[in-house]
C-alpha cells in the first residue's frame, strides 16, 4: 500500500490519480488544496470515497505528514508548481511534477537548487509525447529526412496561458 500526497486537486491531477488508483487500488491519498470542498467534489467525481482521504489546506500542512508519505504529486496552477515543489523538497520523496515546472527563471533556479542531487527522484509530466502527432513528428526527425535539426519552435495556445 502506498500513501501519496497530492498538492492541488484539479481536473488534471484527479484524473491521473484515478489512473494510478486503477493500477494500485490500495493507494491512499492526502490532498493539499485550499479549495477543500472543490477537491473533495472532484475526487468523488472520479469515484473515490472521500471519507478515506485526508484533506489539508496547503503544502506546508501536507509536510506535517511527510513521514507517512511514499511520494508527492503536484498539480496546482502553473504559477504554483515550482513553489510547491520547493516546499516539499526537504522531505526527499519521489515527486511527480506537472508542467510547466516553473514560469520564471527565478522559479527555475529555486527549483534546481532545491532538487540538486535528487534529480532522479523527480518526473515531469509530459503526456503530449505519446500523442500520434508527436510520434509522427519524432519519426520524421529521427529518420534524417529533414537533415540536421538546429532549431525547433513550438506554440501551445492553451486557454489558461494568461497565468504566465
Amino acid at each position: 500500500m502506498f500513501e501519496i500526497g497530492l498538492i492541488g486537486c484539479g481536473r488534471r491531477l484527479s484524473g491521473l490519480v484515478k489512473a494510478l488508483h486503477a493500477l494500485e487500488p490500495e493507494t491512499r491519498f492526502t490532498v493539499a488544496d485550499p479549495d477543500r470542498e472543490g477537491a473533495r467534489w472532484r475526487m468523488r467525481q472520479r469515484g473515490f470515497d472521500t471519507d478515506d482521504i485526508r484533506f489539508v489546506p496547503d503544502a506546508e500542512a501536507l509536510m506535517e505528514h511527510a513521514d507517512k508519505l511514499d511520494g508527492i504529486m503536484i498539480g496546482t496552477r502553473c504559477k504554483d508548481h515550482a513553489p510547491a515543489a520547493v516546499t516539499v523538497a526537504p522531505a526527499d520523496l519521489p515527486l511527480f511534477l506537472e508542467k510547466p515546472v516553473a514560469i520564471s527563471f527565478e522559479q527555475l533556479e529555486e527549483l534546481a537548487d532545491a532538487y540538486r542531487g535528487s534529480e532522479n527522484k523527480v518526473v515531469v509530466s509530459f503526456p503530449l509525447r505519446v500523442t500520434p502527432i508527436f510520434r509522427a513528428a519524432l519519426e520524421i526527425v529521427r529518420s534524417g529526412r529533414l537533415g540536421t535539426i538546429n532549431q525547433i519552435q513550438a506554440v501551445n495556445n492553451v486557454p489558461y496561458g494568461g497565468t504566465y
Side-chain angles (χ1 to χ4, degrees):
M1 179 168 70
F2 297 103
E3 178 79 25
I4 305 295
L6 309 177
I7 302 176
C9 193
R11 284 178 291 179
R12 173 89 175 111
L13 195 57
S14 64
L16 285 171
V17 166
K18 181 178 180 179
L20 171 65
H21 198 257
L23 294 171
E24 293 288 342
E26 298 300 313
T27 303
R28 299 285 177 245
F29 302 98
T30 299
V31 176
D33 195 308
D35 179 13
R36 189 175 296 192
E37 288 311 307
R40 189 179 303 276
W41 181 84
R42 281 183 289 282
M43 291 299 277
R44 278 195 306 265
Q45 292 297 111
R46 301 292 188 180
F48 288 95
D49 178 356
T50 56
D51 292 337
D52 295 336
I53 299 173
R54 179 183 336 183
F55 290 86
V56 297
D58 53 35
E60 290 83 6
L62 181 68
M63 287 299 85
E64 294 173 18
H65 307 282
D67 60 323
K68 296 175 180 65
L69 299 176
D70 297 298
I72 296 174
M73 298 176 76
I74 297 177
T76 59
R77 296 193 183 282
C78 296
K79 68 181 181 62
D80 297 323
H81 291 173
V86 168
T87 296
V88 302
D92 200 33
L93 292 167
L95 175 67
F96 171 91
L97 183 57
E98 187 57 67
K99 63 176 180 6
V101 298
I103 63 164
S104 69
F105 190 69
E106 290 77 23
Q107 281 190 351
L108 192 59
E109 285 180 320
E110 290 172 5
L111 192 60
D113 289 343
Y115 284 89
R116 188 160 283 110
S118 295
E119 297 89 352
N120 65 338
K121 291 188 173 187
V122 180
V123 65
V124 176
S125 171
F126 189 58
L128 297 176
R129 68 178 166 239
V130 295
T131 61
I133 194 165
F134 178 84
R135 289 189 181 255
L138 186 60
E139 182 181 323
I140 292 167
V141 169
R142 286 185 173 161
S143 75
R145 289 184 280 178
L146 300 177
T148 301
I149 306 295
N150 58 24
Q151 183 175 353
I152 295 175
Q153 180 176 346
V155 176
N156 186 7
N157 293 317
V158 295
Y160 54 83
T163 63
Y164 306 126

